[in-house]
Amino acid sequence: MSNLDPARLSELDEQLTKLAPVDRLRWAFETFGDRAGIGTSFQPAGVVILHLAKSAGLPIKAFTLDTGLLFPETLAFKAQLEAKLGIQVESVLPALTVEQQAAAHGAELWKRDPEKCCEIRKVDSLGKKLFELDLWIAGMRRDQSNERSSTPLLSLAARPDTSDVWKLNPLVDWSREQVWAYLKEHDLPHNVLHDRGYRSIGCWPCTQPTSGADERGGRWPGFEKKECGLHTRTKKA
């Protein structure tokens, strides 16, 4: 377990800002070891992070939140990417199956209360996983949306008991174009849904194709909602 002093956050963030993403990941592994974990939903940035870690010989474990509502294409891509990179990505499951959720909260909760649905199927699952980690590595980028434009490189997040867990976004200062250029340069695959106009891919009931500058504009159509809560509810005050 890392004994990093949270008071050093600004100093460490400044140091890491000067490093390339692969060296940020190297710092993560050297500092946190097996208490570091890459959380991914298999967006292009996540693919880059997984490839950087693998190519640099950094055995950082990876996990994904399998909500039970992922596109079949996403599940197929998970298997494809694991085979391509020679890795395994742990599937973290919600406490309730989709059927159990329907019995407890009514059918198609996402149509009535997407916040509650995200809490049950994603946020609670992440909270459980964070007790196993001291560093959570994520794929947020500042150019994804207005809401993410001030995302820090290194920060402190909160576990469900409000204890600290460090959080690193190694590609936070990359553009969408840089991410896709990296995939092309290294002959890396991507979710086929991107070829059908899906720019940000989540659960199938709450994701649609979109265009424009807001990469997350196709999430939760019909609601004033752009985040599932993974990055907002874990944020330290």
Side-chain angles (χ1 to χ4, degrees):
M1 181 178 293
S2 169
N3 294 314
L4 279 186
D5 183 353
R8 296 186 59 205
L9 176 59
S10 295
E11 169 200 346
L12 292 168
D13 181 78
E14 184 176 352
Q15 292 175 4
L16 291 170
T17 298
K18 300 173 184 176
L19 300 181
V22 67
D23 294 315
R24 296 168 181 173
L25 289 171
R26 187 170 288 108
W27 170 86
F29 183 69
E30 291 174 352
T31 305
F32 294 92
D34 64 3
R35 295 286 293 183
I38 299 169
T40 183
S41 57
F42 307 105
Q43 314 285 346
V47 176
V48 171
I49 292 169
L50 292 170
H51 183 261
L52 284 171
K54 177 69 175 182
S55 299
L58 304 172
I60 305 173
K61 56 193 173 187
F63 67 93
T64 192
L65 303 177
D66 187 343
T67 63
L69 294 168
L70 300 181
F71 286 92
E73 291 88 346
T74 300
L75 297 175
F77 179 60
K78 175 182 184 292
Q80 178 189 6
L81 188 64
E82 287 175 322
K84 172 80 172 179
L85 298 183
I87 63 172
Q88 284 191 316
V89 180
E90 176 193 2
S91 292
V92 179
L93 304 176
L96 299 179
T97 65
V98 175
E99 293 75 20
Q100 289 170 333
Q101 177 177 294
H105 300 281
E108 299 183 323
L109 179 61
W110 50 85
K111 289 185 177 180
R112 294 174 283 106
D113 190 348
E115 287 290 344
K116 183 66 175 177
C117 189
C118 285
E119 178 184 335
I120 295 170
R121 311 220 64 75
K122 298 182 77 172
V123 179
D124 289 351
S125 298
L126 175 67
K128 177 178 65 176
K129 183 64 183 178
L130 290 182
F131 283 114
E132 302 175 17
L133 304 176
D134 289 324
L135 176 70
W136 165 27
I137 301 170
M140 298 178 75
R141 302 192 331 274
R142 292 177 186 138
D143 75 338
Q144 286 179 300
S145 65
N146 289 334
E147 290 79 8
R148 296 190 174 189
S149 61
S150 59
T151 298
L153 171 61
L154 184 68
S155 62
L156 288 172
R159 301 186 183 97
D161 64 355
T162 73
S163 61
D164 289 342
V165 59
W166 292 80
K167 182 179 181 183
L168 177 69
N169 291 296
L171 297 184
V172 72
D173 46 4
W174 273 33
S175 67
R176 177 182 174 86
E177 290 72 26
Q178 283 176 287
V179 169
W180 281 93
Y182 184 99
L183 296 187
K184 183 176 181 180
E185 178 184 354
H186 296 276
D187 192 29
L188 293 170
H190 60 267
N191 192 325
V192 295
L193 291 172
H194 289 298
D195 300 328
R196 303 175 196 167
Y198 291 85
R199 301 188 72 195
S200 177
I201 302 165
C203 296
W204 66 260
C206 301
T207 309
Q208 67 181 16
T210 187
S211 59
D214 188 341
E215 191 171 302
R216 296 177 61 82
R219 305 292 290 271
W220 302 281
F223 292 92
E224 292 296 321
K225 176 176 167 63
K226 291 290 182 67
E227 296 287 344
C228 61
L230 293 179
H231 301 290
T232 53
R233 297 193 196 185
T234 57
K235 190 175 182 180
K236 296 293 281 192

